[in-house]
Amino acid sequence: MNNDPLSLRTLFLLDPSVTFLNHGSFGATPIPVFEKYQEWQRMLEKEPVEFLGRKASEYLAEARQAIAPELGCDPDDFTFVINATTGMNVVIHSLPLTAQDEVLTTNHEYGAIDKTWQFYARQKGFTIVRARFSLPVSSPDLWIEELWSQVTPRTRVISISHITSPTALVFPVEKVIERARNAGILTLIDGAHSPGQIPVNLRKLGADFYTGNFHKWVCAPKGAGFLYVRPEYHSLIQPLIVSWGYDNPNSQRSPFLDHTEWWGTRDISAFLTVPEAYQFLRTHHWDKVRERCHQQLKETCNAFRERLGVIPLSADQDTWNAQMISLQIPRLSPRSIPEVSRRLWEDFRIEVPLVEWEDSVLIRISFQGYNTPEDYKKLEHALGEILVAPIT
Ligand SMILES: Cc1ncc(COP(=O)(O)O)c(C=O)c1O
C-alpha cells in the first residue's frame, strides 16, 4: 500500500487548492473512513429505533472492544465523548474540590480548558496555580522540577496536556503521573492531540483521568473522543448530562459507563467509525508515515530558523515534538496576527494557525501524511514575503 504524501493526499477529501498545514485544529478524515461513517449513518436512518433503541449499547461496546488495545486499557475503562473538551468537563465537574484545594496546571494549556477550570474555581472556591517553564524546554528532568516547585500541601490535582495546543510540546507526563501518585495527587491528562500522533498506553501511563480525541490524529470523523478513568474512580464520575443511565440500581455496569453513554438522542456514527480509522492507519503503515513527518518537522524547523529567524520552543525536537511544532516569530507583535493570517490565507491559500501566547506570536505547523516538502517550502516563501515589510 502506497503511503507517500501524494498517494495519501488522494485519499483525503481536502481541497487541493489549499496548502493544508493545520491538521492539529480539527484533523481530516480519509475517504474510506468517511464512507464507513456514512454507512453507519445510513444504517441508523434505515431503522432508528432498532439502531438507537435496541442496538446502540451493543455497537458501542463492540467499538470499545476494538479500540481498547490501541489505548492499552480495558474496554470498560473508557467511554466515548464527542471531544476532549467534553471529557475534561466531565472530570472537572465530578471532582469534589473545595476552597482549601489547589489545582496545578501550566501556562501551555488549551484556552477552553483554562476557562473550564475557572468556571468551577468560581463555583467551588479552589485555587488554580499555573506553572511556567524555562524556554526553550530542554531537559525533561528540569521541566519536572519546575512543575513540581509549584506543588504545595494543598495540591489535589495536576491537570496538564500530553501534547500542548499553543506550543505543540510533548510533555513528559509519565514521570509527573508517577510522582503525583506517590504524593497522593490526582492526575488529569488532556490528550486531545495524542492518539494517532504518539503512543498512548493508558495502563502503563497510570493517569487517574485521561481524555483524548480520535478526530484529530487518528483521522476519525468529527465528534469522536474518549474519556478514560481508572477503575477506582469510576464511581466518582457524575453525568454532565443527566439521562437514563443515572440512578440505575439494576445495572450490570459501572456507573461510569451508565453516566456517560446515553446523553439523549444523538448520532453515534463517529464513535462507531473509530475502529475503521485505526485500520486505515495500520493499512498505510502509519509508523513509517509518522517517522517521515517528524523528519520533515526537523528539517522545516532548521530551514525556518536559518532563513526566517524564528525561534523553536524546544531545544531538541526528538524529545519535545512529534508531528506539530510551534515557532516563535520575534519580528511580529500579537496585534499583527489578524493581518498576517489574512495574507497567508488570501494571498497564498495556506491554512496554518498563528497563535498569541505569552505576549509573543507563534506559528503552529502540522506535519501529516498527506503533506509534501513543497507545502513547507510554500509556507517558507509566503512568510519570507510577508516578513520583509514591517507589519504593525
Ligand atoms: C490541548 C487541547 N485540549 C483540548 C482541545 C479541544 O479539543 P476539542 O475541540 O476536540 O474538544 C484542543 C483542541 O485543539 C487541544 O489542543
Side-chain angles (χ1 to χ4, degrees), residues 97-101 120-127 154:
L97 295 169
T98 69
Q100 277 70 53
D101 299 327
Y120 285 95
R122 280 183 199 154
Q123 289 200 344
K124 299 187 178 183
F126 59 80
T127 305
R154 293 173 56 199

Side-chain angles (χ1 to χ4, degrees), residues 102-109 128-134 137 139-153 155 157-162 164 171-181 183 185-189 320:
E102 281 179 8
V103 171
L104 176 57
T105 181
T106 79
N107 64 335
H108 293 244
E109 303 307 316
I128 301 167
V129 176
R130 271 199 189 87
R132 307 164 88 83
F133 306 96
S134 311
V137 286
S139 131
D141 287 344
L142 170 65
W143 182 92
I144 288 169
E145 288 317 315
E146 289 179 329
L147 178 76
W148 214 262
S149 70
Q150 302 302 310
V151 169
T152 77
T155 309
V157 182
I158 295 179
S159 173
I160 54 175
S161 296
H162 202 165
T164 62
F171 277 171
V173 297
E174 298 85 345
K175 289 186 180 161
V176 176
I177 293 166
E178 194 185 338
R179 197 158 166 184
R181 175 158 296 269
I185 299 168
L186 293 172
T187 46
L188 166 56
I189 308 298
W320 294 95

Side-chain angles (χ1 to χ4, degrees), residues 185-386:
I185 299 168
L186 293 172
T187 46
L188 166 56
I189 308 298
D190 176 354
H193 286 279
S194 315
Q197 193 179 166
I198 56 173
V200 175
N201 187 322
L202 294 169
R203 212 172 285 122
K204 219 161 107 193
L205 272 178
D208 297 308
F209 309 97
Y210 191 112
T211 189
N213 283 324
F214 298 118
H215 54 228
K216 287 187 193 281
W217 296 89
V218 182
C219 300
K222 311 294 168 280
F226 70 94
L227 169 63
Y228 162 88
V229 175
R230 269 177 85 95
E232 62 260 46
Y233 295 117
H234 282 192
S235 56
L236 190 114
I237 294 299
Q238 299 294 312
L240 196 58
I241 304 286
V242 179
S243 187
W244 290 105
Y246 183 63
D247 199 14
N248 216 357
N250 297 326
S251 169
Q252 307 289 314
R253 311 191 306 177
S254 81
F256 166 52
L257 289 176
D258 279 341
H259 286 175
T260 53
E261 189 172 281
W262 184 264
W263 283 1
T265 310
R266 58 175 169 167
D267 184 356
I268 56 170
S269 304
F271 301 158
L272 303 180
T273 310
V274 175
E276 183 75 16
Y278 271 113
Q279 185 55 46
F280 177 89
L281 301 189
R282 280 193 296 271
T283 305
H284 292 275
H285 309 288
W286 223 249
D287 284 345
K288 296 265 174 323
V289 170
R290 281 188 205 101
E291 248 176 68
R292 185 181 73 217
C293 290
H294 183 70
Q295 193 54 37
Q296 179 70 55
L297 176 148
K298 290 196 287 184
E299 284 166 23
T300 304
C301 174
N302 288 339
F304 280 34
R305 192 164 40 183
E306 263 174 38
R307 290 183 212 138
L308 301 168
V310 298
I311 304 170
L313 302 179
S314 55
D316 164 17
Q317 283 78 47
D318 285 337
T319 305
W320 294 95
N321 298 92
Q323 285 175 254
M324 293 196 298
I325 192 166
S326 282
L327 299 165
Q328 191 199 341
I329 311 180
R331 294 195 37 212
L332 293 182
S333 87
R335 271 177 307 141
S336 65
I337 288 179
E339 174 58 10
V340 177
S341 301
R342 186 194 65 73
R343 287 203 58 197
L344 282 168
W345 178 242
E346 287 180 11
D347 299 351
F348 299 97
R349 271 185 94 65
I350 296 176
E351 191 67 80
V352 68
L354 290 178
V355 191
E356 175 176 357
W357 185 74
E358 298 287 305
D359 297 327
S360 68
V361 177
L362 306 179
I363 185 164
R364 191 188 72 186
I365 312 169
S366 292
F367 298 77
Q368 187 49 298
Y370 50 72
N371 289 122
T372 61
E374 288 68 41
D375 290 342
Y376 302 98
K377 288 261 172 302
K378 274 187 202 157
L379 177 62
E380 185 185 323
H381 167 76
L383 277 178
E385 293 271 299
I386 293 170

